[in-house]
Amino acid sequence: MKSYNLTHLRELESESMYVIREVAAQFENPVLLFSGGKDSILCLHLARKAFYPAAVPFPIMHIDTGHNFTETTEFRDSLAKKLDLNLIVASVQDSINEGKVQEETGVNASRIRLQTTTLLDAIEGGGFDCAIGGARRDEEKARAKERFFSHRDEFGQWEPKNQRPELWNIFNGKKNMGDHFRAFPISNWTEMDVWQYILHENIPIPNLYFAHEREMVDRNGVLLYNSDVLPNKDGEVAEKMQVRFRTIGDITSTGAVKSSADTLEKIISEVASTRVTERGGRADDKRSESSMEDRKKEGYF
């Protein structure tokens, strides 16, 4: 890796660890949201470095849709055990069973939107005043409106016009009773930065990110994994393909890309040459042009 890239990554690393330490300093009961994807893995890695040799001073929490890739949940559990982390799993299925949300039906059914209720209930139930997330500004236009410290009102809702100024990296975590914050320490990272850092730091990631053969269905240009939880569509035929995933989420909405990149070096080369955005294969982002912003206003991270 070229030296100027390493310098750039160290600057991003330093900024992110500063934000994480500010969270620990300003909030009484923070939690790190962990999906098992590369960005949340990166945030956890940075949190460990920020407080080393002490342990990470807050728990990690996964909002489990019940429709996760097996590789993701196995990686999550293995990592939590290896690092002796306090892992909290909040279940969307529990929210459905309790009648708090209603399962979607039809060929485009997904549990992505249902996660919001589960997340807000878990934050309230745990008394968390700040939830650290791995969102980056380059991911999606709604993400680009976020500050490092993102205020949420007593209903967990996000209002872009209500965000605090962050001049000279001074963060304002003051809140009213019932409010909470989301913190995004890797806001200024790009997808390329993440992959280069993972390579340089030798950070373990799920094998879903590497090219492998899997049965996929092409639904409106999105390659979805043909699993038991994917709603069937008439005339749809599953085909074996060599694919990898650029993002990891719910099986019903996480699209793959055809790829032969089976090493980190090959992934970096592929990302450098692609003209499709990282979330270009996310079916949930295609529901409407404002789908992400609508979900964020409802309380999604």
Side-chain angles (χ1 to χ4, degrees):
M1 187 178 297
K2 295 180 180 180
S3 58
Y4 70 83
N5 279 336
L6 179 57
T7 300
H8 174 58
L9 293 176
R10 287 305 178 210
E11 289 174 353
L12 288 171
E13 177 190 66
S14 178
E15 177 183 66
S16 297
M17 290 196 297
Y18 172 76
V19 175
I20 292 170
R21 288 170 181 148
E22 278 293 300
V23 169
Q26 293 198 38
F27 298 100
E28 295 181 4
N29 190 24
V31 64
L32 191 153
L33 300 178
F34 188 83
S35 67
K38 66 183 186 307
D39 296 325
S40 61
I41 292 170
L42 171 61
C43 283
L44 176 58
H45 180 84
L46 291 167
R48 293 180 66 215
K49 292 192 76 169
F51 300 107
Y52 183 83
V56 176
F58 37 73
I60 67 172
M61 181 165 68
H62 182 210
I63 307 302
D64 187 350
T65 66
H67 292 170
N68 297 294
F69 291 93
T70 302
E71 294 94 328
T72 305
T73 52
E74 289 178 349
F75 181 90
R76 176 201 70 192
D77 295 341
S78 174
L79 188 65
K81 183 177 180 180
K82 178 182 176 182
L83 302 180
D84 194 25
L85 300 169
N86 179 9
L87 171 64
I88 300 168
V89 179
S91 170
V92 171
Q93 186 62 55
D94 288 346
S95 298
I96 295 172
N97 294 343
E98 294 165 8
K100 295 180 177 179
V101 294
Q102 185 173 354
E103 184 92 75
E104 292 184 3
T105 59
V107 295
N108 295 314
S110 172
R111 290 185 172 184
I112 291 295
R113 201 151 201 140
L114 308 188
Q115 288 182 100
T116 299
T117 297
T118 307
L119 171 61
L120 294 177
D121 284 350
I123 288 174
E124 183 178 2
F128 299 117
D129 52 1
C130 183
I132 303 169
R136 307 187 324 269
R137 292 190 182 115
D138 77 319
E139 284 183 275
E140 202 270 348
K141 57 189 178 184
R143 299 285 199 208
K145 299 179 182 180
E146 288 281 20
R147 303 284 203 269
F148 283 111
F149 277 20
S150 181
H151 175 263
R152 297 297 197 272
D153 65 20
E154 60 182 322
F155 302 106
Q157 296 177 330
W158 173 70
E159 174 50 64
K161 297 177 182 177
N162 233 3
Q163 301 307 298
R164 314 280 174 79
E166 293 180 341
L167 305 176
W168 305 290
N169 281 342
I170 298 175
F171 305 130
N172 182 357
K174 292 182 180 180
K175 61 189 186 315
N176 295 318
M177 182 70 71
D179 294 356
H180 73 273
F181 275 77
R182 310 288 169 85
F184 302 108
I186 63 170
S187 289
N188 287 335
W189 296 59
T190 66
E191 183 186 9
M192 178 63 81
D193 295 329
V194 173
W195 283 120
Q196 288 182 332
Y197 188 81
I198 287 173
L199 173 63
H200 184 263
E201 294 282 299
N202 194 28
I203 302 173
I205 55 174
N207 61 15
L208 288 167
Y209 283 113
F210 300 102
H212 56 285
E213 191 175 77
R214 193 178 286 263
E215 273 203 357
M216 310 295 293
V217 294
D218 187 334
R219 182 171 296 176
N220 301 323
V222 177
L223 299 180
L224 298 172
Y225 173 46
N226 185 38
S227 73
D228 293 340
V229 300
L230 183 70
N232 294 321
K233 188 175 182 180
D234 291 343
E236 213 165 45
V237 179
E239 298 179 44
K240 284 191 175 182
M241 303 178 187
Q242 189 81 358
V243 299
R244 75 175 192 87
F245 294 87
R246 291 176 70 186
T247 66
I248 294 180
D250 190 280
I251 286 176
T252 61
S253 61
T254 304
V257 294
K258 291 182 180 179
S259 173
S260 60
D262 55 4
T263 66
L264 287 172
E265 290 84 356
K266 290 180 181 178
I267 289 175
I268 289 170
S269 295
E270 185 178 273
V271 170
S273 62
T274 187
R275 299 186 66 83
V276 179
T277 63
E278 182 180 2
R279 294 186 67 94
R282 293 287 298 231
D284 49 313
D285 285 355
K286 297 180 183 297
R287 291 195 172 197
S288 77
E289 290 187 1
S290 61
S291 58
M292 173 62 79
E293 182 152 343
D294 292 341
R295 279 180 283 152
K296 286 173 65 63
K297 287 181 177 179
E298 292 168 0
Y300 186 70
F301 92 98

